Structure formats: structure tokens, C-alpha cells
Amino acid sequence: MSDYVLGSTNQNTESQTRSTDDQTMKKTLQTPSQLSNILTESESLHDNCGICADPAQKNEEINQNEVVTDSLQTKLQEESDVTKLPIDAFTDELSASDGTDTFSATAYNEITEARKKTANQHADQRLFSHVIKTKQADEKVSPKDSTKKFSPYKKIKLSSQILLFLRQILASFFTHTNLGAIMPKTATYLGPCYPSSMPIPYFVVGFISTFPFFYGLTFIMQVPHLLLGALSVTVFFMLNGICGFHGIAKICASFSNSRTTQDLHSVISVLYVIVLVTCLETLREVCNQDLYRPPLFFASCCMLSALSGCSLSLGLTADPVNSFGSLSIKGLAFSSVITATAMYCTFPPLVATSLIGIALLLRLLLGIYMNQKTLLISRSIVCASQLIVLPALLIYVIIATARNII
């Protein structure tokens, strides 16, 4: 009786176990982790119930489970290809699995690589179409002419060029004079300028430093000529600075292959000031009653000497730390035209041509010397070239005025 009850109990348990397995196998699995969990549960049920104690029968059951597993894996792969689950979902399921299923890793890698390639292709196509549309919108051409060469540069309007030219002139006064130290905020707002604009502020400074004393102060009181020249030179160096003296000391030191010393700076400064004051006093005496001529002559000579100084920035090696910048051929031509116009308006044609020739000769000699000594064209060297050419031009003007050529 007990055997009968035990047999019926085993049969009921076996039938319940098989029904449970059938229902589990019939479920639609979505992930490999669910598959592994169900297989584990089924194996545990078989072991607990004592069924398949026979090894042959147990092996047959395992083979059937493997066949079912393969069919379910094939179904999962088809469903994943159709539904195209996101990569994040595969990542979550792969991390949640116990690592025994090799199909999940293989499918994940294949799907990830395929989607990366597809995404890159779509991104390239969108980028290419965006570039083509942008070019067509900028050039305003039809789709047939989309192969036309695209140029990102556009022409600047005439009004913008005029504004830039005015800004360049204003910035030159803060770059080549001491106005930048007096008004630093304005100098920063205007920005830097090119070396080609150097002659314009030197003409203005030369005229301002001499006109009030040679023309205005003479009508107020009788002032000695020595005082007029000294006052003019003082104002001139107050506005332009003394950077040129340091450059002259460099040139002299390179000639003797020695270092610059304070004694050399002092001697150069004193001698140059004496020479410049003497030139202005002599020019004032030679001009006699024409008191407006010395300021114009001095300003024009300053302008021409500044052009010869700034032209050193073209063709020679510039100082990478302290320089006025690079000079272009267009800038040099523009500066040359303005300077030549001022010279021919101030002096007769013969004298103006002679002054231009003297400036070119001195510029050539200075350029050859600096190229041979491999001097870097810094701010001090440019200002020194201007100071070297200026007395030579004033001496020629004094000679020409004394002989009534002017």
C-alpha cells in the first residue's frame, strides 16, 4: 500500500514537472539571462525529484535541452535583428548574465560593430550634405553649379577700408610716440599698427615741436636762438622718446665688437643733442624772416628719415621680441607715396629729389652694415636709423637754403 502511494506520488510529481518544463519552454524569451535561469530551474527540479536516475535517460534529457537551447538562441538572434534593441539593453543584459553564454557576447559584438559602421556612414552623409548646402547658400548658385570652387574670403567694402585706414593712422600716434604711455587704455583700444605708418606721426611731432617756438614765441618776445633750438629738441624727444639712442649705442658697439655701456650711452646722447640743436639754430638763422619755413623743413626731414628707418623692416631679420612688425611691399609703397608728396610740396623738385636720394643712400649703407653684422631689426634699431638720417638731411637743407636754392 505504501509502495502504491509512493508510486502515485512520483507519477504526479513527474507530470507536474513535465508540464512546468513545457510551459517554460513555450515562453518567448527576450534575453539570454532568462534562458540560463530557466535551464537552471529545470535541472534543479529534475535532480530533486529523482527522475532520470538512469545515466542514459539523463543524457537523453540533456541532449534534448541543448537542442531546445539552440533553437531558442536562434529565435533570440532573429528577434534581436528584427527589433534592433538598443546597445544599452544588450550591455545591461550582458553584465547581468553569469558569463557562461557565449552567444550573447558574440551577438553583442557583431551588432555593435554593424551599428557603429551604419552610424558613421549616416554622420558622413549628413556632414557632406550640410557642407554642400552651406556652400550653395554662400555662393548663391544652383545645385548644378555646386562643384564650383568655394572661397571663404570676401571683399571688404570701401567704407570699411576707410575706417581701417583711419584707425591705422590714429594707432600710429600711440605706437611710434609716447602717447601710448600717457594714455594706455586708448592705445589698447586702438591696437597696434604697421611700420608703414611711421612717417605720419613723425611729421606731426616734428612740426609741433618747432612751430610754437620758432613762429609763435618769436612774436611774443625776443628769445635767443640757442634757447629756441634747445626747447624744440627737448619737446621733440619728450614726444618721440629716447629709444633711438639705445639703438645708436648698439650699432657703435657692434662696430667695435664690444658691449654697450652707460658711458657710451651718455656720450652718444650728449653729442646727438648738441648736433641737432646746432642744426635747428643754423636753420633758423638761414631762413631769416620766413619763420614758417623751419618748422615745415624740420617736419619733412623727420618724415623722410622715418621712412628710411621703417624700411629696414623689409628684407632684414626682425627681432621676435621687440619690433614694430613686418613691412609689406604695399605698405612701403603707400608710405613712399605720402612721403614723396609731402617732400615735393615743401621743397622745390630738385631739392626734394636730392633729399630722397640722400635718404636712400644712407638707408642702403645702414642695411648692408646691419646685414653683415647680423643685427636684429628691433624698435631701437629703427629709431636709431631715423636719428642717423635726420641730421644729414638737415645739413643739406641748410646748405641749399644758404645758397638760395630753396
Side-chain angles (χ1 to χ4, degrees):
M1 183 67 180
S2 59
D3 294 335
Y4 177 76
V5 173
L6 180 60
S8 62
T9 304
N10 291 336
Q11 289 179 359
N12 294 331
T13 304
E14 182 179 359
S15 60
Q16 290 178 0
T17 302
R18 289 181 180 178
S19 62
T20 303
D21 293 340
D22 293 338
Q23 291 177 1
T24 303
M25 295 298 179
K26 289 179 181 180
K27 289 183 180 179
T28 302
L29 300 179
Q30 298 296 331
T31 58
S33 60
Q34 295 179 359
L35 175 62
S36 60
N37 293 333
I38 293 171
L39 291 175
T40 304
E41 292 177 359
S42 60
E43 290 177 359
S44 62
L45 288 174
H46 281 286
D47 295 338
N48 294 330
C49 295
I51 303 175
C52 301
D54 189 6
Q57 188 177 0
K58 190 172 183 179
N59 291 332
E60 184 178 358
E61 292 292 337
I62 291 172
N63 292 333
Q64 291 179 0
N65 292 335
E66 289 179 355
V67 171
V68 174
T69 303
D70 293 337
S71 63
L72 290 175
Q73 289 178 353
T74 305
K75 186 177 180 181
L76 280 174
Q77 185 175 2
E78 292 177 356
E79 290 181 356
S80 63
D81 293 337
V82 173
T83 56
K84 293 184 179 180
L85 294 177
I87 298 176
D88 295 337
F90 280 92
T91 306
D92 297 338
E93 295 296 336
L94 182 62
S95 60
S97 63
D98 54 355
T100 58
D101 193 0
T102 58
F103 164 75
S104 59
T106 305
Y108 171 74
N109 293 331
E110 292 178 355
I111 294 172
T112 303
E113 292 177 0
R115 289 181 180 176
K116 284 183 180 179
K117 291 180 181 179
T118 306
N120 292 333
Q121 292 177 358
H122 287 302
D124 293 339
Q125 291 178 358
R126 288 195 297 268
L127 180 61
F128 180 74
S129 61
H130 177 70
V131 171
I132 293 297
K133 290 180 181 178
T134 305
K135 289 182 179 180
Q136 292 177 357
D138 292 339
E139 297 181 357
K140 296 181 180 179
V141 297
S142 60
K144 295 182 181 180
D145 299 331
S146 60
T147 58
K148 186 179 178 181
K149 186 177 180 180
F150 175 71
S151 177
Y153 302 101
K154 295 182 180 180
K155 294 183 178 179
I156 302 176
K157 296 181 180 179
L158 181 61
S159 58
S160 300
Q161 292 180 356
I162 294 174
L163 290 176
L164 291 174
F165 175 73
L166 294 177
R167 186 212 68 83
Q168 181 80 8
I169 293 176
L170 291 176
S172 65
F173 286 93
F174 292 88
T175 302
H176 300 288
T177 63
N178 285 335
L179 287 177
I182 298 173
M183 295 181 288
K185 292 184 179 180
T186 306
T188 305
Y189 177 75
L190 292 174
C193 67
Y194 294 106
S196 59
S197 59
M198 183 177 176
I200 298 175
Y202 270 81
F203 178 85
V204 176
V205 169
F207 185 80
I208 291 174
S209 61
T210 53
F211 181 78
F213 304 106
F214 281 85
Y215 188 79
L217 192 60
T218 306
F219 288 99
I220 298 174
M221 67 176 96
Q222 293 295 329
V223 181
H225 295 260
L226 181 62
L227 182 59
L228 292 177
L231 291 174
S232 299
V233 172
T234 302
V235 175
F236 177 77
F237 285 111
M238 286 178 63
L239 295 176
N240 279 338
I242 57 174
C243 182
F245 294 149
H246 182 62
I248 296 175
K250 278 185 178 180
I251 295 173
C252 295
S254 64
F255 181 77
S256 60
N257 293 326
S258 60
R259 295 182 178 180
T260 59
T261 59
Q262 296 296 329
D263 297 336
L264 182 61
H265 283 86
S266 301
V267 171
I268 289 172
S269 302
V270 172
L271 289 178
Y272 189 86
V273 169
I274 292 173
V275 170
L276 192 59
V277 170
T278 305
C279 290
L280 288 177
E281 290 175 358
T282 307
L283 184 61
R284 168 69 176 79
E285 292 178 357
V286 170
C287 291
N288 295 326
Q289 299 299 325
D290 297 333
L291 300 178
Y292 67 92
R293 297 173 69 186
L296 287 176
F297 292 165
F298 182 70
S300 299
C301 291
C302 289
M303 189 176 191
L304 184 59
S305 61
L307 176 62
S308 63
C310 72
S311 62
L312 292 172
S313 301
L314 181 65
L316 297 177
T317 304
D319 190 352
V321 178
N322 185 18
S323 66
F324 287 116
S326 60
L327 180 65
S328 62
I329 298 178
K330 292 182 180 180
L332 181 61
F334 169 76
S335 183
S336 301
V337 169
I338 293 179
T339 304
T341 303
M343 294 299 295
Y344 282 101
C345 291
T346 306
F347 300 100
L350 179 61
V351 178
T353 305
S354 301
L355 289 171
I356 293 173
I358 293 171
L360 289 175
L361 178 62
L362 293 175
R363 161 64 179 82
L364 179 62
L365 295 176
L366 288 172
I368 293 173
Y369 176 77
M370 292 177 185
N371 188 25
Q372 185 179 3
K373 294 294 183 178
T374 62
L375 292 176
L376 297 178
I377 306 304
S378 59
R379 292 173 181 261
S380 59
I381 295 296
V382 172
C383 295
S385 302
Q386 186 269 330
L387 293 180
I388 293 171
V389 177
L390 179 59
L393 299 177
L394 289 176
I395 291 172
Y396 180 81
V397 171
I398 291 171
I399 297 172
T401 306
R403 294 188 177 185
N404 296 322
I405 299 177
I406 299 176

